[in-house]
Amino acid sequence: MVKINELTHYTQQLMQVTRFKDYCPNGLQVEGRDEINKIVTGVTASMALLEAAHKVGADLVLVHHGYFWRNETPEIVGIKQRRIKFLLTHGINLMAYHLPLDAHEVLGNNVQLGNLLGFKAQNYIGSENLIAYAELETEMSLSQVVSLLELRLDRQVIAIGELERMVKKVAWCTGAAQGYMEQAIALGVDLYISGEISEQTTHQSLESGVAYICAGHHATERYGIQALGSHLAEKFNLAHEFIDIHNPV
């Protein structure tokens, strides 16, 4: 058991929150009961996740996508009201880490996705050091990378580029990071992987010769939050359960 204030203080330091200019508050977003025995982790604090967490006795829901995003309406009404009411009614704490979780060099989404694929990040570039890149020990065809991703993530991906082309240098950034395509092109990689795709991404890929794979926003961001939850559970001797709420995007 650990007090929520102690857990919050430790996690804020661990995730180096003050380094980031984020679109939402990082840390404890909704306060519930004081004592934490069980953490449930998930990608997004949807009502489906909150209900599932309550059923398994969670004291804390720890997510990548929480609440109170920049430019959203401030009123506590509709979906927001129902979610917050549910948390408060059941005394469940909500904690969220967005960019700090993407970028953490041990527990983060980018390094964890790399570990899953066998890509060891050599360095990071871009805003907040969010783009990871590596040179593969053995070249792979784009088709082989597609197959690897679909096997590891258990979902179909969208690939732009000639499937037989060879890939040696790869960059990646989880989630909705297709906007970093130009930075990946400037880096001189053969392939850039992210979670979403825009109409312009196709043209950028074809005209630059840098292949692009859209592997799913939710799918690519399942692994950092699990690593963080497992770390906290081990540190404070807590129970931890990851609950994956299906999202095809």
Side-chain angles (χ1 to χ4, degrees), residues 105-131:
E105 293 187 4
V106 177
L107 304 172
N109 281 321
N110 287 326
V111 70
Q112 291 296 320
L113 180 62
N115 291 343
L116 185 73
L117 300 174
F119 300 167
K120 185 176 180 180
Q122 294 172 315
N123 211 336
Y124 300 85
I125 65 161
S127 173
E128 316 283 9
N129 286 333
L130 290 174
I131 304 171

PDB file of all heavy atoms in Angstrom, residues 105-131:
ATOM      1  N   GLU A 105      13.049   7.493 -21.679  1.00  0.00           N
ATOM      2  CA  GLU A 105      14.037   6.669 -22.367  1.00  0.00           C
ATOM      3  C   GLU A 105      14.121   5.230 -21.857  1.00  0.00           C
ATOM      4  O   GLU A 105      14.864   4.425 -22.409  1.00  0.00           O
ATOM      5  CB  GLU A 105      15.413   7.337 -22.307  1.00  0.00           C
ATOM      6  CG  GLU A 105      15.457   8.630 -23.109  1.00  0.00           C
ATOM      7  CD  GLU A 105      16.845   9.230 -23.198  1.00  0.00           C
ATOM      8  OE1 GLU A 105      17.802   8.601 -22.691  1.00  0.00           O
ATOM      9  OE2 GLU A 105      16.978  10.322 -23.779  1.00  0.00           O
ATOM     10  N   VAL A 106      13.362   4.902 -20.830  1.00  0.00           N
ATOM     11  CA  VAL A 106      13.316   3.514 -20.339  1.00  0.00           C
ATOM     12  C   VAL A 106      11.900   2.957 -20.419  1.00  0.00           C
ATOM     13  O   VAL A 106      11.673   1.857 -20.922  1.00  0.00           O
ATOM     14  CB  VAL A 106      13.844   3.418 -18.893  1.00  0.00           C
ATOM     15  CG1 VAL A 106      13.709   1.984 -18.373  1.00  0.00           C
ATOM     16  CG2 VAL A 106      15.299   3.866 -18.823  1.00  0.00           C
ATOM     17  N   LEU A 107      10.928   3.726 -19.932  1.00  0.00           N
ATOM     18  CA  LEU A 107       9.558   3.253 -19.814  1.00  0.00           C
ATOM     19  C   LEU A 107       8.647   3.762 -20.927  1.00  0.00           C
ATOM     20  O   LEU A 107       7.498   3.325 -21.017  1.00  0.00           O
ATOM     21  CB  LEU A 107       8.975   3.694 -18.466  1.00  0.00           C
ATOM     22  CG  LEU A 107       9.756   3.270 -17.223  1.00  0.00           C
ATOM     23  CD1 LEU A 107       9.175   3.952 -15.986  1.00  0.00           C
ATOM     24  CD2 LEU A 107       9.745   1.760 -17.055  1.00  0.00           C
ATOM     25  N   GLY A 108       9.145   4.649 -21.772  1.00  0.00           N
ATOM     26  CA  GLY A 108       8.296   5.370 -22.703  1.00  0.00           C
ATOM     27  C   GLY A 108       7.721   4.546 -23.843  1.00  0.00           C
ATOM     28  O   GLY A 108       8.198   3.454 -24.169  1.00  0.00           O
ATOM     29  N   ASN A 109       6.703   5.109 -24.473  1.00  0.00           N
ATOM     30  CA  ASN A 109       6.049   4.446 -25.603  1.00  0.00           C
ATOM     31  C   ASN A 109       7.010   4.151 -26.741  1.00  0.00           C
ATOM     32  O   ASN A 109       6.972   3.067 -27.336  1.00  0.00           O
ATOM     33  CB  ASN A 109       4.903   5.322 -26.131  1.00  0.00           C
ATOM     34  CG  ASN A 109       3.661   5.222 -25.280  1.00  0.00           C
ATOM     35  OD1 ASN A 109       3.304   4.157 -24.803  1.00  0.00           O
ATOM     36  ND2 ASN A 109       2.984   6.348 -25.098  1.00  0.00           N
ATOM     37  N   ASN A 110       7.874   5.116 -27.061  1.00  0.00           N
ATOM     38  CA  ASN A 110       8.768   4.912 -28.199  1.00  0.00           C
ATOM     39  C   ASN A 110       9.794   3.814 -27.936  1.00  0.00           C
ATOM     40  O   ASN A 110      10.001   2.932 -28.778  1.00  0.00           O
ATOM     41  CB  ASN A 110       9.460   6.222 -28.565  1.00  0.00           C
ATOM     42  CG  ASN A 110       8.515   7.199 -29.233  1.00  0.00           C
ATOM     43  OD1 ASN A 110       7.615   6.799 -29.957  1.00  0.00           O
ATOM     44  ND2 ASN A 110       8.705   8.481 -28.982  1.00  0.00           N
ATOM     45  N   VAL A 111      10.423   3.843 -26.788  1.00  0.00           N
ATOM     46  CA  VAL A 111      11.425   2.811 -26.497  1.00  0.00           C
ATOM     47  C   VAL A 111      10.764   1.450 -26.319  1.00  0.00           C
ATOM     48  O   VAL A 111      11.306   0.416 -26.730  1.00  0.00           O
ATOM     49  CB  VAL A 111      12.285   3.199 -25.271  1.00  0.00           C
ATOM     50  CG1 VAL A 111      11.493   3.140 -23.974  1.00  0.00           C
ATOM     51  CG2 VAL A 111      13.519   2.308 -25.178  1.00  0.00           C
ATOM     52  N   GLN A 112       9.573   1.422 -25.744  1.00  0.00           N
ATOM     53  CA  GLN A 112       8.887   0.139 -25.547  1.00  0.00           C
ATOM     54  C   GLN A 112       8.426  -0.462 -26.870  1.00  0.00           C
ATOM     55  O   GLN A 112       8.500  -1.679 -27.061  1.00  0.00           O
ATOM     56  CB  GLN A 112       7.699   0.326 -24.597  1.00  0.00           C
ATOM     57  CG  GLN A 112       8.092   0.620 -23.157  1.00  0.00           C
ATOM     58  CD  GLN A 112       8.844  -0.525 -22.501  1.00  0.00           C
ATOM     59  OE1 GLN A 112       8.525  -1.688 -22.700  1.00  0.00           O
ATOM     60  NE2 GLN A 112       9.851  -0.193 -21.704  1.00  0.00           N
ATOM     61  N   LEU A 113       7.951   0.380 -27.804  1.00  0.00           N
ATOM     62  CA  LEU A 113       7.611  -0.143 -29.126  1.00  0.00           C
ATOM     63  C   LEU A 113       8.855  -0.665 -29.828  1.00  0.00           C
ATOM     64  O   LEU A 113       8.825  -1.725 -30.463  1.00  0.00           O
ATOM     65  CB  LEU A 113       6.940   0.945 -29.978  1.00  0.00           C
ATOM     66  CG  LEU A 113       6.538   0.508 -31.393  1.00  0.00           C
ATOM     67  CD1 LEU A 113       5.505  -0.615 -31.358  1.00  0.00           C
ATOM     68  CD2 LEU A 113       6.015   1.686 -32.202  1.00  0.00           C
ATOM     69  N   GLY A 114       9.949   0.075 -29.697  1.00  0.00           N
ATOM     70  CA  GLY A 114      11.205  -0.402 -30.268  1.00  0.00           C
ATOM     71  C   GLY A 114      11.611  -1.752 -29.705  1.00  0.00           C
ATOM     72  O   GLY A 114      12.029  -2.655 -30.440  1.00  0.00           O
ATOM     73  N   ASN A 115      11.496  -1.909 -28.388  1.00  0.00           N
ATOM     74  CA  ASN A 115      11.823  -3.193 -27.768  1.00  0.00           C
ATOM     75  C   ASN A 115      10.949  -4.317 -28.315  1.00  0.00           C
ATOM     76  O   ASN A 115      11.427  -5.433 -28.553  1.00  0.00           O
ATOM     77  CB  ASN A 115      11.639  -3.108 -26.249  1.00  0.00           C
ATOM     78  CG  ASN A 115      12.660  -2.212 -25.577  1.00  0.00           C
ATOM     79  OD1 ASN A 115      13.693  -1.887 -26.157  1.00  0.00           O
ATOM     80  ND2 ASN A 115      12.385  -1.803 -24.354  1.00  0.00           N
ATOM     81  N   LEU A 116       9.670  -4.020 -28.498  1.00  0.00           N
ATOM     82  CA  LEU A 116       8.738  -5.021 -29.005  1.00  0.00           C
ATOM     83  C   LEU A 116       9.136  -5.494 -30.404  1.00  0.00           C
ATOM     84  O   LEU A 116       8.985  -6.680 -30.740  1.00  0.00           O
ATOM     85  CB  LEU A 116       7.325  -4.436 -29.029  1.00  0.00           C
ATOM     86  CG  LEU A 116       6.180  -5.367 -29.420  1.00  0.00           C
ATOM     87  CD1 LEU A 116       5.875  -6.350 -28.297  1.00  0.00           C
ATOM     88  CD2 LEU A 116       4.928  -4.561 -29.764  1.00  0.00           C
ATOM     89  N   LEU A 117       9.661  -4.566 -31.200  1.00  0.00           N
ATOM     90  CA  LEU A 117      10.014  -4.884 -32.584  1.00  0.00           C
ATOM     91  C   LEU A 117      11.468  -5.331 -32.737  1.00  0.00           C
ATOM     92  O   LEU A 117      11.867  -5.757 -33.822  1.00  0.00           O
ATOM     93  CB  LEU A 117       9.776  -3.655 -33.466  1.00  0.00           C
ATOM     94  CG  LEU A 117       8.335  -3.128 -33.514  1.00  0.00           C
ATOM     95  CD1 LEU A 117       8.279  -1.832 -34.301  1.00  0.00           C
ATOM     96  CD2 LEU A 117       7.403  -4.167 -34.093  1.00  0.00           C
ATOM     97  N   GLY A 118      12.247  -5.211 -31.665  1.00  0.00           N
ATOM     98  CA  GLY A 118      13.660  -5.532 -31.754  1.00  0.00           C
ATOM     99  C   GLY A 118      14.488  -4.403 -32.347  1.00  0.00           C
ATOM    100  O   GLY A 118      15.590  -4.620 -32.832  1.00  0.00           O
ATOM    101  N   PHE A 119      13.952  -3.162 -32.310  1.00  0.00           N
ATOM    102  CA  PHE A 119      14.663  -1.983 -32.796  1.00  0.00           C
ATOM    103  C   PHE A 119      15.215  -1.235 -31.586  1.00  0.00           C
ATOM    104  O   PHE A 119      14.457  -0.716 -30.771  1.00  0.00           O
ATOM    105  CB  PHE A 119      13.728  -1.038 -33.562  1.00  0.00           C
ATOM    106  CG  PHE A 119      13.069  -1.627 -34.777  1.00  0.00           C
ATOM    107  CD1 PHE A 119      12.013  -0.962 -35.385  1.00  0.00           C
ATOM    108  CD2 PHE A 119      13.506  -2.818 -35.332  1.00  0.00           C
ATOM    109  CE1 PHE A 119      11.400  -1.480 -36.519  1.00  0.00           C
ATOM    110  CE2 PHE A 119      12.900  -3.356 -36.468  1.00  0.00           C
ATOM    111  CZ  PHE A 119      11.836  -2.681 -37.056  1.00  0.00           C
ATOM    112  N   LYS A 120      16.515  -1.153 -31.464  1.00  0.00           N
ATOM    113  CA  LYS A 120      17.134  -0.463 -30.342  1.00  0.00           C
ATOM    114  C   LYS A 120      17.398   0.987 -30.714  1.00  0.00           C
ATOM    115  O   LYS A 120      18.229   1.285 -31.580  1.00  0.00           O
ATOM    116  CB  LYS A 120      18.444  -1.142 -29.926  1.00  0.00           C
ATOM    117  CG  LYS A 120      19.065  -0.533 -28.674  1.00  0.00           C
ATOM    118  CD  LYS A 120      20.298  -1.291 -28.234  1.00  0.00           C
ATOM    119  CE  LYS A 120      20.899  -0.670 -26.977  1.00  0.00           C
ATOM    120  NZ  LYS A 120      22.120  -1.399 -26.534  1.00  0.00           N
ATOM    121  N   ALA A 121      16.681   1.895 -30.060  1.00  0.00           N
ATOM    122  CA  ALA A 121      16.823   3.317 -30.374  1.00  0.00           C
ATOM    123  C   ALA A 121      18.256   3.778 -30.102  1.00  0.00           C
ATOM    124  O   ALA A 121      18.795   3.563 -29.023  1.00  0.00           O
ATOM    125  CB  ALA A 121      15.844   4.137 -29.556  1.00  0.00           C
ATOM    126  N   GLN A 122      18.867   4.414 -31.100  1.00  0.00           N
ATOM    127  CA  GLN A 122      20.229   4.922 -30.951  1.00  0.00           C
ATOM    128  C   GLN A 122      20.249   6.370 -30.481  1.00  0.00           C
ATOM    129  O   GLN A 122      21.202   6.805 -29.847  1.00  0.00           O
ATOM    130  CB  GLN A 122      20.963   4.793 -32.290  1.00  0.00           C
ATOM    131  CG  GLN A 122      21.165   3.338 -32.703  1.00  0.00           C
ATOM    132  CD  GLN A 122      21.712   3.216 -34.110  1.00  0.00           C
ATOM    133  OE1 GLN A 122      21.251   3.892 -35.024  1.00  0.00           O
ATOM    134  NE2 GLN A 122      22.694   2.367 -34.300  1.00  0.00           N
ATOM    135  N   ASN A 123      19.178   7.095 -30.810  1.00  0.00           N
ATOM    136  CA  ASN A 123      19.087   8.486 -30.378  1.00  0.00           C
ATOM    137  C   ASN A 123      17.668   8.980 -30.625  1.00  0.00           C
ATOM    138  O   ASN A 123      16.846   8.258 -31.197  1.00  0.00           O
ATOM    139  CB  ASN A 123      20.091   9.364 -31.123  1.00  0.00           C
ATOM    140  CG  ASN A 123      20.573  10.525 -30.271  1.00  0.00           C
ATOM    141  OD1 ASN A 123      19.887  10.950 -29.329  1.00  0.00           O
ATOM    142  ND2 ASN A 123      21.738  11.048 -30.598  1.00  0.00           N
ATOM    143  N   TYR A 124      17.411  10.223 -30.207  1.00  0.00           N
ATOM    144  CA  TYR A 124      16.091  10.824 -30.354  1.00  0.00           C
ATOM    145  C   TYR A 124      16.258  12.240 -30.890  1.00  0.00           C
ATOM    146  O   TYR A 124      17.210  12.943 -30.544  1.00  0.00           O
ATOM    147  CB  TYR A 124      15.360  10.881 -29.011  1.00  0.00           C
ATOM    148  CG  TYR A 124      15.150   9.522 -28.386  1.00  0.00           C
ATOM    149  CD1 TYR A 124      16.140   8.943 -27.604  1.00  0.00           C
ATOM    150  CD2 TYR A 124      13.976   8.814 -28.595  1.00  0.00           C
ATOM    151  CE1 TYR A 124      15.959   7.688 -27.042  1.00  0.00           C
ATOM    152  CE2 TYR A 124      13.778   7.565 -28.040  1.00  0.00           C
ATOM    153  CZ  TYR A 124      14.774   7.012 -27.265  1.00  0.00           C
ATOM    154  OH  TYR A 124      14.597   5.768 -26.716  1.00  0.00           O
ATOM    155  N   ILE A 125      15.317  12.660 -31.739  1.00  0.00           N
ATOM    156  CA  ILE A 125      15.364  14.012 -32.292  1.00  0.00           C
ATOM    157  C   ILE A 125      13.971  14.624 -32.206  1.00  0.00           C
ATOM    158  O   ILE A 125      13.015  13.984 -31.773  1.00  0.00           O
ATOM    159  CB  ILE A 125      15.841  14.021 -33.764  1.00  0.00           C
ATOM    160  CG1 ILE A 125      14.814  13.299 -34.657  1.00  0.00           C
ATOM    161  CG2 ILE A 125      17.210  13.405 -33.906  1.00  0.00           C
ATOM    162  CD1 ILE A 125      14.956  13.643 -36.126  1.00  0.00           C
ATOM    163  N   GLY A 126      13.876  15.879 -32.668  1.00  0.00           N
ATOM    164  CA  GLY A 126      12.584  16.526 -32.795  1.00  0.00           C
ATOM    165  C   GLY A 126      12.131  17.194 -31.522  1.00  0.00           C
ATOM    166  O   GLY A 126      12.819  17.201 -30.498  1.00  0.00           O
ATOM    167  N   SER A 127      10.936  17.759 -31.584  1.00  0.00           N
ATOM    168  CA  SER A 127      10.336  18.426 -30.436  1.00  0.00           C
ATOM    169  C   SER A 127      10.229  17.468 -29.266  1.00  0.00           C
ATOM    170  O   SER A 127       9.692  16.371 -29.393  1.00  0.00           O
ATOM    171  CB  SER A 127       8.944  18.940 -30.822  1.00  0.00           C
ATOM    172  OG  SER A 127       8.269  19.456 -29.712  1.00  0.00           O
ATOM    173  N   GLU A 128      10.788  17.855 -28.123  1.00  0.00           N
ATOM    174  CA  GLU A 128      10.760  17.056 -26.889  1.00  0.00           C
ATOM    175  C   GLU A 128      11.466  15.705 -27.053  1.00  0.00           C
ATOM    176  O   GLU A 128      11.223  14.773 -26.292  1.00  0.00           O
ATOM    177  CB  GLU A 128       9.313  16.821 -26.416  1.00  0.00           C
ATOM    178  CG  GLU A 128       8.409  18.028 -26.460  1.00  0.00           C
ATOM    179  CD  GLU A 128       8.655  19.000 -25.325  1.00  0.00           C
ATOM    180  OE1 GLU A 128       9.642  18.832 -24.602  1.00  0.00           O
ATOM    181  OE2 GLU A 128       7.864  19.944 -25.190  1.00  0.00           O
ATOM    182  N   ASN A 129      12.336  15.568 -28.079  1.00  0.00           N
ATOM    183  CA  ASN A 129      13.025  14.293 -28.339  1.00  0.00           C
ATOM    184  C   ASN A 129      12.053  13.132 -28.503  1.00  0.00           C
ATOM    185  O   ASN A 129      12.258  12.042 -27.962  1.00  0.00           O
ATOM    186  CB  ASN A 129      14.031  13.983 -27.220  1.00  0.00           C
ATOM    187  CG  ASN A 129      15.263  14.860 -27.298  1.00  0.00           C
ATOM    188  OD1 ASN A 129      15.639  15.334 -28.366  1.00  0.00           O
ATOM    189  ND2 ASN A 129      15.887  15.093 -26.157  1.00  0.00           N
ATOM    190  N   LEU A 130      11.023  13.353 -29.308  1.00  0.00           N
ATOM    191  CA  LEU A 130       9.961  12.356 -29.438  1.00  0.00           C
ATOM    192  C   LEU A 130      10.185  11.356 -30.572  1.00  0.00           C
ATOM    193  O   LEU A 130       9.506  10.333 -30.624  1.00  0.00           O
ATOM    194  CB  LEU A 130       8.613  13.061 -29.653  1.00  0.00           C
ATOM    195  CG  LEU A 130       8.056  13.810 -28.440  1.00  0.00           C
ATOM    196  CD1 LEU A 130       6.797  14.568 -28.824  1.00  0.00           C
ATOM    197  CD2 LEU A 130       7.762  12.840 -27.296  1.00  0.00           C
ATOM    198  N   ILE A 131      11.099  11.643 -31.498  1.00  0.00           N
ATOM    199  CA  ILE A 131      11.317  10.748 -32.627  1.00  0.00           C
ATOM    200  C   ILE A 131      12.537   9.879 -32.345  1.00  0.00           C
ATOM    201  O   ILE A 131      13.646  10.380 -32.169  1.00  0.00           O
ATOM    202  CB  ILE A 131      11.530  11.532 -33.935  1.00  0.00           C
ATOM    203  CG1 ILE A 131      10.359  12.473 -34.192  1.00  0.00           C
ATOM    204  CG2 ILE A 131      11.709  10.554 -35.106  1.00  0.00           C
ATOM    205  CD1 ILE A 131      10.604  13.430 -35.347  1.00  0.00           C
TER     206      ILE A 131
END
